[in-house]
Amino acid sequence: MRILADASMPLVEKLASLCQAAGYAVEFDTFQGRQPSAAQLAVAEVLLIRSITRVDESFLNQAPQLRWLGTATIGMEHVDTEAVTARGICFHSTPGVNAQAVGDYVASAIAALTDHLGHLPSRSGRKMAAIVGAGHTGRAAGSRLRAFGYHVSYYDPPIAAAFTEHPVPVHADWQRVVDADVISIHVPLIADGPFPTVGLFDETTLASLADDTILINASRGPVVSETGLRAAKAREQQLRVILDVWEYEPNIAADLLPYLTFATPHIAGHSVAGKVGGTLRLFQLFTQWAGWSVALPKLAPLLNEAADVPKPAVIHAEQAPNAVELASWVLSIYDIRADDERLRQAPATASEFDALRRHYPARAELSTLQLQPAAWQLEGNWPQRLRLLKGS
């Protein structure tokens, strides 16, 4: 079996070698950048990709032997699934593998603002947060915001219309979204149908937001209109906008950088655990499809083999933290400001955007937070808040 994988996927070579060690004939190769070479595609039977690789009819025409395709992402808009299915190719995405990392990204954005302001940001004083999209990443973000003390609601009309039961309560009241102090977006990119998300936050919607509203987009770039943001900037609307994704990636809207509170190069889900988890999940799905019996490791021991695994953060706290202290804990593990600085200092080019992602430093998750034993951790709502913060 000829397996071709994105070289940026951690430990992919090790997992391929485990298949070889189990006695299966595997020829393994990797590719750099957004697209494999024509020569690599010509012989690939199994292809493992990330979100930057676009699979369409033209791509598939170069891959006549392709039988199995997997993306180490929840998003699938970079793959023409109809074309893939029409050719009889088995396709899998990996929803949930980097949800905790995305939740941590949202937590770090709030923590950085809290550190800057000296208090938890809430323009209304009601500490209301709206999650747009109640899937894996949305729920992880909501968990972190609840840990900070926000009252969280989940806006998801498709789920509200289709399901009577869901892990969190959902609603379809758009007004609750635009009235919130914090809006965090976690939706797939949908161009048409009853619930489109392209341009969901257009110029009109952005204009309706009150000053000091925090708007975080860690989903897909076209969900938030860059034209709308330019209009907000021109009228000096005081929004606090955090963008991890961009409408025309890998080209970023460099003219918007002065207006944005934080700007990052599509790395919200790029924790070590999130990336290794994506690689592992694809091999689990592939070997199951192939009918191979391979002793793949669990995620925890596999993480120990990843390069530059960050050490757990140990916090010594004799009393319950206030919002600023809680923020400092989050920032000690992952500080969004460092990612923001790297993007702003780099040339605003497509190649540099990809380079920032490809050479992204190892990042721990909030789940690694360790607190020295103290009585306050067992009092009041702190046991639940700490679990929510760590995504457990």
Side-chain angles (χ1 to χ4, degrees):
M1 192 78 72
R2 296 186 181 93
I3 300 176
L4 176 63
D6 186 322
S8 70
M9 297 172 66
L11 298 178
V12 65
E13 186 170 356
K14 174 184 174 58
L15 294 175
S17 70
L18 291 177
C19 296
Q20 294 170 328
Y24 299 102
V26 171
E27 294 182 28
F28 178 71
D29 194 10
T30 62
F31 67 93
Q32 299 276 356
R34 291 185 167 256
Q35 302 294 112
S37 70
Q40 289 176 315
L41 285 177
V43 298
E45 297 173 90
V46 175
L47 179 61
L48 312 180
I49 63 172
R50 294 190 59 81
S51 62
I52 62 172
T53 299
R54 184 163 298 280
V55 178
D56 54 17
E57 286 281 4
S58 175
F59 183 100
L60 294 172
N61 287 337
Q62 300 178 72
Q65 300 188 52
L66 190 62
R67 299 166 56 196
W68 195 93
L69 170 67
T71 179
T73 61
I74 183 173
M76 300 184 294
E77 64 275 1
H78 55 297
V79 176
D80 184 339
T81 54
E82 291 185 2
V84 168
T85 301
R87 293 173 185 247
I89 299 168
C90 182
F91 172 64
H92 283 283
S93 62
T94 54
V97 293
N98 65 354
Q100 301 307 322
V102 175
D104 292 353
Y105 178 90
V106 172
S108 188
I110 296 300
L113 281 169
T114 300
D115 182 66
H116 173 70
L117 297 170
H119 58 81
L120 189 69
S122 174
R123 58 165 184 78
S124 70
R126 296 180 296 130
K127 300 179 182 177
M128 304 300 294
I131 302 295
V132 181
H136 294 284
T137 59
R139 298 198 302 273
S143 173
R144 307 315 193 273
L145 291 173
R146 288 176 60 197
F148 268 102
Y150 286 102
H151 305 284
V152 176
S153 67
Y154 296 85
Y155 174 84
D156 200 316
I159 290 178
F163 298 96
T164 57
E165 295 184 4
H166 191 66
V168 294
V170 298
H171 68 88
D173 184 353
W174 184 245
Q175 194 61 44
R176 292 176 66 183
V177 174
V178 296
D179 286 345
D181 301 306
V182 180
I183 303 170
S184 192
I185 309 168
H186 305 276
V187 294
L189 191 64
I190 302 172
D192 48 28
F195 305 111
T197 61
V198 173
L200 185 63
F201 286 81
D202 58 11
E203 184 173 345
T204 301
T205 297
L206 291 169
S208 73
L209 301 180
D211 282 353
D212 292 331
T213 296
I214 299 168
L215 179 65
I216 305 171
N217 187 12
S219 60
R220 297 296 178 262
V223 175
V224 176
S225 165
E226 291 177 2
T227 298
L229 288 174
R230 289 187 180 94
K233 177 185 176 184
R235 63 176 168 265
E236 299 183 348
Q237 185 179 3
Q238 300 301 306
L239 300 177
R240 291 175 171 144
V241 181
I242 295 99
L243 293 187
D244 181 55
V245 289
W246 305 79
E247 191 168 358
Y248 301 104
E249 285 184 23
N251 298 297
I252 67 169
D255 62 306
L256 286 175
L257 288 177
Y259 182 66
L260 301 178
T261 302
F262 299 118
T264 55
H266 201 152
I267 47 71
H270 276 34
S271 68
V272 174
K275 291 194 288 186
V276 172
T279 307
L280 176 60
R281 183 60 181 148
L282 286 183
F283 269 88
Q284 291 170 338
L285 292 166
F286 160 66
T287 54
Q288 182 180 9
W289 169 82
W292 291 0
S293 179
V294 182
L296 296 172
K298 299 292 185 182
L299 178 59
L302 189 60
L303 283 174
N304 292 330
E305 300 186 37
D308 303 320
V309 178
K311 294 181 179 179
V314 180
I315 304 295
H316 300 267
E318 297 301 324
Q319 59 186 15
N322 59 29
V324 174
E325 290 166 337
L326 187 63
S328 73
W329 297 1
V330 171
L331 295 171
S332 71
I333 297 172
Y334 169 50
D335 193 336
I336 190 176
R337 296 172 297 192
D339 289 334
D340 174 80
E341 183 178 4
R342 276 189 285 269
L343 181 66
R344 292 178 192 271
Q345 290 183 348
T349 63
S351 60
E352 190 62 30
F353 183 89
D354 284 345
L356 288 170
R357 300 182 80 238
R358 187 167 56 252
H359 303 298
Y360 189 65
R363 180 178 121 202
E365 293 187 349
L366 295 184
S367 61
T368 62
L369 173 66
Q370 296 181 3
L371 289 170
Q372 289 298 325
W376 66 265
Q377 297 177 46
L378 304 176
E379 297 173 351
N381 64 358
W382 276 107
Q384 180 191 30
R385 288 183 67 178
L386 292 173
R387 285 196 299 270
L388 291 169
L389 186 70
K390 299 172 70 172
S392 57

